[in-house]
């Protein structure tokens, strides 16, 4: 799966709707946010794929800040290999950080599920240090 990874400046937090139910979308379409961890060390060059996305628990927001960001194709949202596709997206974001020589601020990987054109879409976010001017 080839994904485009972008640098994003999020100027306001993204939040789930009150009540935190995936059946209720926030006004921006956000249905849920999940927090994972990356177990990939800073100097690790060939990590096992499962180290890119560890754990997983509900979160209430994606804070404002700078992120490397990837969106999974819509057709993969309900696929049986959805976890592998999320892991691949987390790996793509990690690889982009290496290519751009950007540092993550922490090990947190945030996954946002939102409703777009009647289908669920997943997005992967990793906070990075602000780019130098």
């Amino acid at each position: 799966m080839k994904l485009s990874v972008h640098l994003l400046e999020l100027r306001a937090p993204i939040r789930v709707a009150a009540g935190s139910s995936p059946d209720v979308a926030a006004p921006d379409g956000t249905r849920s946010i999940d927090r994972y961890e990356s177990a990939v060390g800073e100097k690790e060059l060939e990590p096992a794929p499962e180290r890119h996305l560890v754990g997983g628990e509900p979160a209430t927001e994606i804070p404002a800040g700078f992120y490397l960001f990837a969106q999974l194709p819509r057709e993969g949202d309900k696929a049986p290999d959805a976890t592998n596709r999320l892991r691949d997206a987390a790996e793509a974001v990690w690889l982009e950080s290496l290519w751009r020589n950007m540092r993550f601020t922490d090990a947190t990987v945030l996954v946002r599920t939102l409703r777009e054109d009647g289908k669920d879409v997943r997005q992967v976010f990793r906070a990075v240090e602000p780019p130098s001017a």
Side-chain angles (χ1 to χ4, degrees):
M1 167 176 58
K2 184 171 174 150
L3 293 172
S4 294
V5 177
H6 304 279
L7 177 62
L8 169 72
E9 181 182 4
L10 188 60
R11 295 180 182 227
I14 297 172
R15 295 189 172 101
V16 295
S20 300
S21 168
D23 297 329
V24 178
D28 67 357
T30 301
R31 296 169 67 85
S32 67
I33 298 171
D34 294 301
R35 179 184 320 280
Y36 295 85
E37 296 292 319
S38 170
V40 176
E42 188 175 323
K43 306 243 185 234
E44 203 168 343
L45 295 180
E46 294 187 33
E50 60 273 6
R51 295 177 52 81
H52 289 284
L53 205 61
V54 178
E57 61 185 33
T60 58
E61 75 171 26
I62 300 173
F66 285 90
Y67 293 88
L68 285 177
F69 155 86
Q71 179 167 308
L72 279 74
R74 282 191 198 105
E75 59 271 15
D77 293 338
K78 300 294 183 191
D81 65 343
T83 299
N84 290 336
R85 295 171 69 79
L86 278 177
R87 191 178 298 131
D88 290 347
E91 181 179 22
V93 167
W94 172 75
L95 286 169
E96 189 71 19
S97 76
L98 295 177
W99 292 325
R100 291 185 186 215
N101 198 28
M102 299 186 87
R103 294 179 57 114
F104 295 119
T105 60
D106 57 29
T108 302
V109 180
L110 295 165
V111 176
R112 175 187 185 207
T113 302
L114 70 148
R115 198 78 171 156
E116 205 174 73
D117 297 329
K119 296 182 181 180
D120 282 349
V121 175
R122 292 199 179 125
Q123 300 172 330
V124 173
F125 293 79
R126 287 281 313 262
V128 293
E129 293 177 352
S132 53

